[in-house]
């Protein structure tokens, strides 16, 4: 018979000696502009870094065209094709938090809450273009008529000077298109059109140890061969000291190919160059589609993670409290 919270080796999980030290994650922004952000996340577990990456891709709410009502279309593209192209136009989503999505409505129903009659669930765009000229007419995102009650909800780069709009379809003389498009809030888990990221990746920077004392028995030619063996040119041969050094400005390009390590082994210098992943250190690169600013994507993803953890904590407490009396007189846990 073991306590219900026994971890399997005879000690309880409440044992302080078994607990992991509390981590204090740190973030350092390396570079940031309107299109991308590069930042370091340190002193946290790989699972946390991957959770952040996945949330940025699939659970940060944005706005996108969800429904299209085609009134007239005699272009070379059919209605479904044009609807798909409209859906993939990024919509500025700074005000996405003001919208109520379908999954939030379902959550409110489960919790017994009523949806406010004034809740904002969608806005409508219109598009009406007729070509009466001999030259081909490009129908672009700038031709979309936005909802004037919500002037900040627009396609990206909407009527911005020196900015190239997104082409939807091309018209010949006599062709026309007229439609209505409904913009709704959603997440990338439901459809890629709600994904705010063009790229969201992280890499683990390398930690390089070079034993130049061990390499001192190699000839200058062999050392140069070692340096040349690395395809990413991370290493260099110091012309003064004749020692192999790390080119720190190129270290971020290293791809863990281990070519230089294998080359050192071929010279009977195994262990002279050791390359490992830096523990609990991740470098993120996040590029935006334009729906949200790169830093907004990261901050909103952290908010979503925080909400998920709070919900997990609440539900876990409910289960633990419900099971406090679920033991019989002999102390065995009840089976369900």
């Amino acid at each position: 018979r073991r306590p219900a919270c026994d971890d399997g080796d005879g000690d309880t999980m409440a044992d302080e000696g078994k607990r992991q030290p509390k981590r204090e994650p740190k973030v350092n922004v390396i570079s940031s502009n309107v299109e991308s952000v590069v930042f370091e996340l340190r002193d946290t577990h790989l699972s946390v870094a991957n959770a952040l990456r996945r949330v940025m891709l699939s659970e940060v709410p944005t706005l996108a065209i969800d429904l299209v009502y085609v009134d007239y279309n005699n272009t070379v593209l059919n209605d479904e094709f044009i609807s798909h192209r409209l859906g993939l136009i990024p919509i500025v989503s700074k005000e996405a938090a003001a919208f109520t999505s379908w999954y939030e409505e379902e959550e409110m129903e489960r919790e017994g809450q009523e949806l406010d009659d004034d809740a904002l669930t969608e806005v409508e765009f219109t598009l009406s273009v007729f070509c009466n000229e001999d030259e081909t007419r490009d129908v672009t995102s700038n031709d979309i008529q936005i909802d004037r009650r919500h002037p900040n909800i627009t396609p990206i780069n909407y009527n911005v000077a020196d900015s190239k709009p997104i082409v939807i379809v091309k018209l010949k003389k006599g062709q026309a298109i007229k439609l209505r498009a409904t913009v709704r809030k959603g997440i990338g888990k439901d459809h890629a059109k709600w994904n705010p990221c063009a790229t969201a990746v992280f890499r683990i920077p390398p930690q390089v140890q070079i034993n130049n004392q061990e390499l001192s028995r190699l000839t200058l030619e062999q050392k140069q061969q070692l340096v040349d063996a690395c395809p990413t040119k991370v290493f260099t041969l110091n012309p003064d000291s004749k020692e192999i050094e790390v080119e720190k400005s190129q270290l971020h390009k290293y791809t863990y190919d281990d070519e230089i390590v294998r080359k050192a082994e071929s010279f009977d210098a195994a262990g002279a160059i050791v390359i490992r992943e830096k523990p609990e250190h991740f470098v993120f690169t996040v590029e935006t589609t334009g729906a949200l600013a790169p830093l907004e994507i990261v901050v909103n993803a952290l908010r979503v993670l925080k909400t998920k953890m709070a919900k997990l904590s609440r539900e876990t407490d409910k289960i633990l409290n419900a099971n406090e009396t679920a033991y019989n007189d002999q102390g065995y846990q009840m089976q369900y």
Side-chain angles (χ1 to χ4, degrees), residues 180-237:
R180 292 170 291 129
T182 302
V183 176
R184 291 177 174 172
K185 178 182 176 181
I187 54 178
K189 185 189 292 185
D190 292 329
H191 195 283
K193 64 188 175 185
W194 281 298
N195 177 9
C197 301
T199 297
V201 297
F202 69 81
R203 57 183 175 81
I204 304 176
Q207 187 172 331
V208 183
Q209 295 177 341
I210 301 176
N211 187 344
N212 276 295
Q213 185 175 356
E214 178 71 20
L215 295 174
S216 62
R217 59 187 180 83
L218 301 183
T219 66
L220 196 61
E221 182 182 356
Q222 288 175 319
K223 289 181 179 180
Q224 188 60 52
Q225 289 180 27
L226 278 177
V227 170
D228 294 339
C230 180
T232 48
K233 308 304 178 188
V234 170
F235 300 90
T236 183
L237 184 61

Side-chain angles (χ1 to χ4, degrees), residues 68-133:
V68 178
Y69 304 92
V70 180
D71 296 322
Y72 184 82
N73 173 30
N74 67 343
T75 70
V76 295
L77 300 183
N78 58 43
D79 296 352
E80 291 79 8
F81 205 113
I82 291 175
S83 299
H84 185 261
R85 291 180 66 84
L86 287 167
L88 295 180
I89 296 175
I91 307 297
V92 176
S93 302
K94 291 181 180 179
E95 298 185 5
F99 283 70
T100 301
S101 63
W102 66 267
Y103 56 86
E104 289 171 327
E105 291 180 18
E106 289 185 352
E107 183 71 20
M108 292 172 68
E109 287 181 8
R110 284 196 295 268
E111 295 179 358
Q113 301 178 14
E114 292 186 3
L115 182 66
D116 191 347
D117 293 336
D118 297 328
L120 181 60
T121 58
E122 60 187 36
V123 298
E124 188 173 272
F125 292 167
T126 59
L127 178 66
S128 181
V129 181
F130 173 70
C131 180
N132 58 0
E133 301 173 354

Side-chain angles (χ1 to χ4, degrees), residues 140-155:
T140 71
S141 54
N142 284 344
D143 293 310
I144 294 175
Q145 299 300 310
I146 64 172
D147 189 334
R148 295 301 174 184
R149 295 171 299 174
H150 304 280
N152 294 326
I153 300 175
T154 68

Side-chain angles (χ1 to χ4, degrees), residues 224-237 244-257 259-260:
Q224 188 60 52
Q225 289 180 27
L226 278 177
V227 170
D228 294 339
C230 180
T232 48
K233 308 304 178 188
V234 170
F235 300 90
T236 183
L237 184 61
I244 294 178
E245 299 175 350
V246 176
E247 192 71 45
K248 291 185 178 180
S249 63
Q250 302 297 316
L251 190 58
H252 66 282
K253 296 181 180 179
Y254 188 70
T255 57
Y256 295 96
D257 50 77
E259 291 294 334
I260 192 171

